[in-house]
Amino acid sequence: MTVRVGVTGATGRMGREVIAAVDDHADCEVVFAVSRSPDGETVDGVEIESADDFDSLLAECEPTAVIDFTGPESAVEYATACAAADVAFVTGTTGFDDDHLEALEDASEEVAVLHAPNFARGVQALLNVVGEAVQNLPGYDVELVETHHNAKRDAPSGTANRLLAEIEANGEFTERTHGREGEQPRETGEIGVHALRAGDITGEHEVLLAGNHEELRLTHRAEDRGVFAAGAVDAAAWIAGQKAGWYDFADVIAE
Ligand SMILES: NC(=O)C1=CN([C@@H]2O[C@H](COP(=O)(O)OP(=O)(O)OC[C@H]3O[C@@H](n4cnc5c(N)ncnc54)[C@H](OP(=O)(O)O)[C@@H]3O)[C@@H](O)[C@H]2O)C=CC1
Ligand SMILES: O=C(O)C1=N[C@H](C(=O)O)C[C@H](O)C1
């Protein structure tokens, strides 16, 4: 079956990569791509259409899934429209607050919705092992450093928040300290969180565990945004035919 993909935020850093990744995938095609200000542009030969026409494009082009890398408000609007049109929704957008997440969960009652803050397979592996590392090293200090390009809006990154949830799950850590300044000695139970923004760095996440005269660094470095786009396209191919519900990239990798 050919997977028919609609793309939002099509002229953004990730939107462009998604169009290219769909093109590279044997069983997928882009059936429409939208931007809020299309300007007659094409991306990889795909004509970019106006986001104002999103509802009618869903009806006319009958996508199997929409892939979204935009901003939290836009993602919620696109997800709500997909829910009304019975189209699965895959989003890699980050920076959601509780209200945004609630709206996405509402959409997931109507259609399949998959949200992943990071579509790199290496990050999924990191998420799987980080809790175990913390559990194996009781009493060790934990610090998290994430590094991204200078245009990233949200901090800490969505991936960092997911890693922090895994670290906090074992109960030893109760407080996040975002950067340090002045007299601020480290306290028991705190995780230091540091967001670096510079140049065009694609995305790095490092969890440092230190104590007992040793240190363990678990680092993931994305070398190219194509890795995220390829994962999102795999998710779109996987989600076609899934029933309504809330899914994660881990569900895609598990199969
Ligand atoms: N899950 C993952 O693996 C990854 C997730 N991301 C996340 O994807 C999102 C997009 O990242 P990136 O492509 O670098 O961002 P860009 O700013 O390059 O592109 C985002 C595009 O989304 C559209 N958009 C719609 N609403 C908004 C808004 N409120 N603010 C900004 N843009 C908006 C814009 O397109 P237009 O105006 O044309 O509609 C814009 O071009 C971010 O949340 C980022 O954290 C990024 C990389 C990997
Ligand atoms: O904005 C980005 O670029 C990225 N955002 C994601 C996040 O917030 O975790 C994933 C990736 O690191 C790139």
Side-chain angles (χ1 to χ4, degrees):
M1 181 186 89
T2 301
V3 179
R4 299 165 57 76
V5 178
V7 181
T8 60
T11 55
R13 271 177 293 272
M14 281 305 301
R16 292 172 186 279
E17 293 286 347
V18 168
I19 290 173
V22 170
D23 212 29
D24 284 351
H25 196 291
D27 305 322
C28 293
E29 63 173 320
V30 175
V31 293
F32 71 80
V34 295
S35 154
R36 291 175 301 177
S37 43
D39 238 6
E41 200 178 337
T42 59
V43 173
D44 267 15
V46 173
E47 188 188 337
I48 308 304
E49 301 185 67
S50 169
D52 293 343
D53 299 330
F54 188 67
D55 289 0
S56 48
L57 288 165
L58 287 176
E60 279 161 29
C61 305
E62 298 184 342
T64 334
V66 162
I67 301 180
D68 167 86
F69 287 88
T70 56
E73 287 80 19
S74 297
V76 165
E77 282 172 24
Y78 290 131
T80 305
C82 283
D86 200 22
V87 174
F89 189 69
V90 171
T91 181
T93 299
T94 59
F96 293 118
D97 64 20
D98 289 347
D99 289 343
H100 298 131
L101 288 172
E102 202 179 309
L104 288 181
E105 277 164 22
D106 286 348
S108 77
E109 285 173 16
E110 309 299 325
V111 294
V113 173
L114 189 150
H115 173 238
N118 199 308
F119 280 102
R121 283 164 190 264
V123 164
Q124 289 302 311
L126 176 58
L127 286 166
N128 291 339
V129 301
V130 73
E132 205 178 329
V134 170
Q135 197 124 33
N136 278 288
L137 299 171
Y140 281 44
D141 297 329
V142 177
E143 299 269 318
L144 189 151
V145 183
E146 56 99 337
T147 310
H148 286 87
H149 54 92
N150 58 21
K152 183 163 178 59
R153 289 162 181 265
D154 54 317
S157 69
T159 311
N161 281 325
R162 189 64 74 83
L163 286 163
L164 289 165
E166 293 294 332
I167 293 163
E168 288 161 350
N170 97 336
E172 193 182 334
F173 297 96
T174 50
E175 203 168 315
R176 300 178 186 182
T177 298
H178 295 275
R180 291 190 183 82
E181 192 182 22
E183 186 158 337
Q184 199 178 349
R186 200 173 203 291
E187 297 193 359
T188 310
E190 84 176 38
I191 310 175
V193 184
H194 310 278
L196 279 53
R197 299 287 178 263
D200 190 34
I201 295 168
T202 304
E204 296 177 14
H205 293 88
E206 179 167 273
V207 179
L208 162 67
L209 299 100
N212 192 31
H213 311 292
E214 61 175 346
E215 60 186 69
L216 171 63
R217 290 174 188 266
L218 300 171
T219 308
H220 178 271
R221 186 168 298 117
E223 290 170 0
D224 189 288
R225 289 187 180 90
V227 72
F228 307 131
V233 174
D234 288 345
W238 176 87
I239 210 170
Q242 299 291 335
K243 60 181 194 304
W246 183 260
Y247 299 97
D248 193 81
F249 192 43
D251 298 316
V252 179
I253 288 178
E255 281 191 7

